[in-house]
């Protein structure tokens, strides 16, 4: 085989890999769509999007309202971001600008290891550790609620946010830092007023990827949020997210029933949300790297 | 040399880790003068100028012996806040480095971090320093556009304006024209000559003609040593040291 053909072959191999990933993505989407669409033969899309109750087992009139679980998912996600974003950016700023090189060398891998803790372990900690604490502090029954889920998801989103924000801060040209210090700014003013704004798009992308992680997380919220099938009222009440609903119910539902197809419809919505969030993060991130270059 | 001495380096030895980069530097910087520092790459001239506003402290393993004074006071003394020194001794860098903010914000920033809250005062200062740096006419209609859209020469003059806004007493220029075209270079040089009426100026430059054009005193650095320091005309016409002569006549460097 001559050299030209060899190169062609290698090129084909990489092309194939690239196409495969796209095919898998499209395949998942189509599968979800195929299994979700039959649901709307019996239940209207309007019913799905507006009914405030999800009760597929009702004897008389089963209802399939997306809203309670959509609101639940958004609550724990937003809750987790409220905790994780300030903490994550603060930690990233500390690691990139305050910590000595030695501390950074040790701390950054540790943060990344945090991302590797299995979600079931995090959920377990939510039940045995965080639950009782929340219960005692707020006087709620068992502390398995949206607040618990939010805090746990924050812990899980933190590594992504810290690690990528630190990269973004680290890629801010040193010239900005020098300019700021030479004007008589102190270290913190330099970080907050010059470096963080200059790294803003990278940090935003980091937060969105963290959010993507939080909204799609299943096991942790399943274990820690109580899973009551009612419309969520507060952070101290139990919630049942889209992911937990699918995980709990898909195991026991009769195949090819409306309920079965409805769960796929929920999955489709979840897929679309995470897809859009990740796509936005990607666009922001690439805009950021282009500006830097 | 009857002028008043503003800054004075005395017996300065400077190290990065175990490597000695500056050896026994003694140099006086006179008020309302332009002091040029020339020398080949790696001779320590940029390192020296960064000592004058304590920018060397950004490098963790730097060590300094000897003293550098501003108006007779040791700027390296432990009780002296580097932030205070940098407010008095401003710096313009080799590569124009405006913040990725608007022209207006670039200048306002220095005032804000130094505690100025009065909006009217900031606005007045922005205009004043842009006029001083001869940039006002070119940017007055687009103060709120991004500074990154300016040309390199304009960016450098913006950096000068930003530096002047906080009213420093000494201004350090670290090869300010290294990345500029000849026309922009000419503008910056004219500006430096104008500024020396109000400020004390130190300029590091690769360009000997530039040193000859703008400076009153010149110091020649070579391999971490200050080989010769004198009035500029003396350095360029009757240097005492053979190495200075070789350098200014272009025999090495």
């Amino acid at each position: 085989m001559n050299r030209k053909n060899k190169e062609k072959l290698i090129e084909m191999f990489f092309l194939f890999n690239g196409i495969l990933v796209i095919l898998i993505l499209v395949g998942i989407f189509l599968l979800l769509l195929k299994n979700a669409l039959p649901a709307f033969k019996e239940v209207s899309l309007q019913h799905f999007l507006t009914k405030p109750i999800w009760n597929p087992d009702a004897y008389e009139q089963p209802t399939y309202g997306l809203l309670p679980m959509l609101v639940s998912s958004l609550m724990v996600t937003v809750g987790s971001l409220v905790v994780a974003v300030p903490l994550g950016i603060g930690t990233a700023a500390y690691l990139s600008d305050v910590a000595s090189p030695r501390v950074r060398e040790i701390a950054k891998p540790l943060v990344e290891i945090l991302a590797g803790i299995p979600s079931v372990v995090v959920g377990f900690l939510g039940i045995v550790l965080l639950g009782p604490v929340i219960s005692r502090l707020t006087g709620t029954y068992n502390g398995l609620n949206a607040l618990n889920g939010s805090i746990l998801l924050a812990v899980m989103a933190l590594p992504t946010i810290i690690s990528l924000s630190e990269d973004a801060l680290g890629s801010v040209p040193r010239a900005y830092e020098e300019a700021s210090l030479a004007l008589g700014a102190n270290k913190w003013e330099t970080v907050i007023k010059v470096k963080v704004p200059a790294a803003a798009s990278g940090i935003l992308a980091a937060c969105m990827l963290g959010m993507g992680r939080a909204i799609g997380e299943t096991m942790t919220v399943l274990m820690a949020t109580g899973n009551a099938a009612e419309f969520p009222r507060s952070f101290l009440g139990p919630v049942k997210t889209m992911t937990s609903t699918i995980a709990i119910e898909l195991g026991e539902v009769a195949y090819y029933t409306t309920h079965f197809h409805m769960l796929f419809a929920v999955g489709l919505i979840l897929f679309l949300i995470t897809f859009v969030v990740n796509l936005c993060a990607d666009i922001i991130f690439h805009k950021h790297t282009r500006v830097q270059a | 040399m009857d002028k008043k001495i503003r800054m004075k380096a005395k017996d300065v030895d400077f190290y990065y880790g175990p490597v000695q980069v500056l050896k026994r530097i003694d140099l006086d910087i006179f008020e309302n003068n332009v002091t040029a520092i020339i020398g080949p790459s790696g001779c320590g001239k940029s390192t020296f100028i960064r000592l004058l506003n304590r920018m060397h402290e950004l490098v963790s393993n730097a060590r300094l012996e000897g003293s550098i004074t501003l108006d007779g006071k040791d700027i390296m003394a432990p009780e002296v806040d580097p932030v205070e020194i940098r407010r008095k001794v401003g710096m313009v860098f080799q590569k124009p480095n405006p913040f990725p903010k608007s022209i207006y914000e670039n200048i306002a920033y220095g005032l804000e971090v130094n505690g100025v809250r009065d909006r009217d005062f900031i606005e007045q200062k922005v205009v004043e320093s842009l006029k001083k740096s001869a940039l006002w006419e070119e940017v007055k209609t687009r103060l709120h556009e991004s500074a990154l859209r300016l040309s390199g020469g304009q960016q450098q003059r913006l950096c000068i304006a930003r530096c002047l806004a906080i009213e420093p007493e000494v201004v350090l220029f670290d090869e300010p024209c290294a990345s500029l075209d000849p026309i922009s270079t000419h503008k910056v040089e004219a500006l430096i000559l104008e500024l020396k009426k109000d400020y004390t100026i130190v300029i590091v430059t690769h360009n000997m003609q530039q040193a000859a054009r703008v400076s009153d005193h010149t110091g020649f650095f070579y391999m971490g040593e200050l080989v010769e320091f004198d009035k500029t005309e003396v350095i360029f016409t009757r240097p005492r040291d053979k190495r200075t002569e070789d350098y200014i006549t272009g025999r090495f460097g």
Side-chain angles (χ1 to χ4, degrees):
Chain A
M1 191 169 14
N2 67 29
R3 198 148 132 205
K4 211 168 176 186
N5 280 336
K6 207 168 173 180
E7 239 170 67
K8 199 100 188 158
L9 207 71
I10 294 171
E11 208 181 296
M12 295 271 283
F13 175 73
F14 284 109
L15 185 70
F16 171 75
N17 281 302
I19 290 175
L20 188 67
V21 173
I22 297 170
L23 280 181
I24 291 173
L25 186 73
V26 173
I28 291 174
F29 179 72
L30 289 178
L31 186 83
L32 281 174
L33 201 63
K34 178 178 164 283
N35 280 298
L37 281 181
F40 298 103
K41 272 188 259 171
E42 289 178 38
V43 182
S44 72
L45 187 64
Q46 195 196 357
H47 173 113
F48 179 57
L49 293 179
T50 56
K51 277 272 190 277
I53 303 162
W54 174 267
N55 188 2
D57 300 324
Y59 185 68
E60 277 289 321
Q61 185 74 58
T63 45
Y64 302 96
L66 173 73
L67 281 179
M69 56 181 111
L70 183 67
V71 172
S72 299
S73 281
L74 291 180
M75 269 171 76
V76 289
T77 304
V78 170
S80 73
L81 288 178
V82 167
V83 179
V85 168
L87 208 60
I89 295 176
T91 312
Y94 167 78
L95 284 178
S96 91
D97 287 273
V98 185
S100 68
R102 267 197 58 191
V103 171
R104 178 166 48 230
E105 266 164 42
I106 298 168
K108 211 176 168 201
L110 277 181
V111 166
E112 278 154 11
I113 287 172
L114 191 62
I117 297 176
S119 51
V120 67
V121 174
V122 179
F124 176 71
L125 292 177
I127 293 175
V128 300
L129 201 71
L130 197 54
V133 172
I134 292 176
S135 165
R136 202 169 317 134
L137 288 178
T138 62
T140 46
Y141 167 54
N142 59 4
L144 298 183
N145 50 28
L147 178 65
N148 194 331
S150 295
I151 294 171
L152 295 180
L153 285 183
V155 171
M156 301 184 71
L158 266 176
T160 309
I161 296 178
I162 294 172
S163 188
L164 292 176
S165 299
E166 206 264 340
D167 290 345
L169 285 171
S171 70
V172 171
R174 198 178 159 79
Y176 294 160
E177 193 180 343
E178 290 192 337
S180 172
L181 292 170
L183 287 168
N186 63 33
K187 214 166 181 172
W188 279 111
E189 286 164 337
T190 301
V191 172
I192 293 164
K193 293 186 177 167
V194 174
K195 293 193 77 175
V196 169
S201 50
I203 291 173
L204 190 61
C207 294
M208 295 199 74
L209 285 177
M211 177 180 165
R213 166 115 212 236
I215 205 165
E217 174 50 42
T218 307
M219 187 46 81
T220 306
V221 286
L222 179 88
M223 291 168 78
T225 57
N227 301 318
E230 56 190 72
F231 203 89
R233 280 185 305 270
S234 85
F235 271 92
L236 295 177
V239 294
K240 190 175 184 183
T241 65
M242 298 162 72
T243 50
S244 349
T245 305
I246 297 172
I248 294 169
E249 296 178 11
L250 198 59
E252 24 195 73
V253 69
Y255 271 40
Y256 309 118
T257 56
T258 304
H259 185 187
F260 174 84
H261 293 305
M262 263 304 165
L263 289 175
F264 276 91
V266 174
L268 189 66
I269 299 285
L270 192 62
F271 177 87
L272 290 176
I273 293 174
T274 42
F275 184 76
V276 168
V277 168
N278 284 326
L279 191 69
C280 289
D282 201 55
I283 290 169
I284 294 167
F285 197 73
H286 280 103
K287 191 179 130 222
H288 163 76
T289 43
R290 243 203 329 274
V291 169
Q292 294 287 323
Chain B
M1 296 198 190
D2 46 346
K3 289 230 177 191
K4 187 182 160 206
I5 295 173
R6 284 312 296 273
M7 295 192 81
K8 188 178 186 69
K10 196 159 168 27
D11 268 343
V12 171
D13 287 305
F14 185 71
Y15 306 83
Y16 283 129
V19 184
Q20 184 164 15
V21 245
L22 293 173
K23 291 169 203 150
R24 302 188 60 85
I25 307 292
D26 281 301
L27 192 147
D28 295 339
I29 292 159
F30 297 93
E31 181 160 49
N32 298 117
N33 254 331
V34 177
T35 304
I37 313 257
I38 59 170
S41 299
C43 67
K45 57 190 190 303
S46 283
T47 304
F48 176 72
I49 200 176
R50 291 168 76 91
L51 297 179
L52 300 179
N53 67 344
R54 292 181 64 169
M55 289 298 280
H56 69 284
E57 289 172 5
L58 304 190
V59 182
S60 56
N61 60 352
R63 185 162 59 86
L64 179 130
E65 284 163 14
S67 77
I68 294 176
T69 56
L70 173 64
D71 296 330
K73 274 190 285 188
D74 185 1
I75 64 169
M76 302 294 172
E79 72 275 9
V80 175
D81 186 354
V83 167
E84 190 54 34
I85 297 301
R86 291 173 194 150
R87 215 194 61 66
K88 286 187 189 160
V89 184
M91 186 163 209
V92 176
F93 296 84
Q94 181 170 358
K95 213 175 137 224
N97 58 353
F99 300 121
K101 300 170 186 267
S102 74
I103 294 169
Y104 185 95
E105 287 167 331
N106 259 279
I107 299 173
Y109 177 80
L111 296 163
E112 283 161 8
V113 296
N114 284 292
V116 180
R117 291 283 167 271
D118 182 349
R119 286 278 123 202
D120 294 339
F121 180 77
I122 291 179
E123 178 140 10
Q124 178 200 327
K125 268 288 171 197
V126 168
V127 177
E128 187 189 309
S129 29
L130 282 171
K131 283 182 177 162
K132 268 192 200 166
S133 70
L135 190 59
W136 173 248
E137 288 302 321
E138 292 158 60
V139 301
K140 63 183 176 188
T141 56
R142 46 182 180 142
L143 291 180
H144 296 283
E145 277 181 29
S146 168
L148 299 182
R149 285 169 77 189
L150 298 174
S151 74
Q154 290 173 325
Q155 289 189 4
Q156 194 61 303
R157 278 178 286 146
L158 175 62
C159 292
I160 296 171
R162 181 173 72 180
C163 172
L164 299 182
I166 55 171
E167 299 177 0
E169 295 161 20
V170 180
V171 182
L172 311 174
F173 288 87
D174 185 1
E175 298 189 43
C177 304
S179 60
L180 302 187
D181 63 79
I183 294 169
S184 300
T185 299
H186 174 73
K187 283 185 182 167
V188 170
E189 284 180 10
L191 184 56
I192 288 173
L193 286 173
E194 185 64 31
L195 292 176
K196 86 172 184 179
K197 291 177 194 150
D198 301 316
Y199 304 89
T200 300
I201 291 170
V202 184
I203 174 171
V204 162
T205 175
H206 259 311
N207 180 332
M208 283 170 287
Q209 286 73 36
Q210 182 169 66
R213 282 192 296 263
V214 301
S215 71
D216 304 292
H217 289 85
T218 297
F220 171 58
F221 274 61
Y222 185 61
M223 295 180 66
E225 283 177 68
L226 177 60
V227 174
E228 195 166 348
F229 179 67
D230 212 323
K231 287 195 167 149
T232 299
E233 68 221 43
V234 177
I235 293 277
F236 280 93
T237 52
R238 317 182 286 281
R240 272 169 295 144
D241 196 288
K242 179 80 169 62
R243 288 169 293 178
T244 314
E245 193 185 337
D246 286 348
Y247 184 70
I248 60 167
T249 53
R251 246 166 282 178
F252 75 92

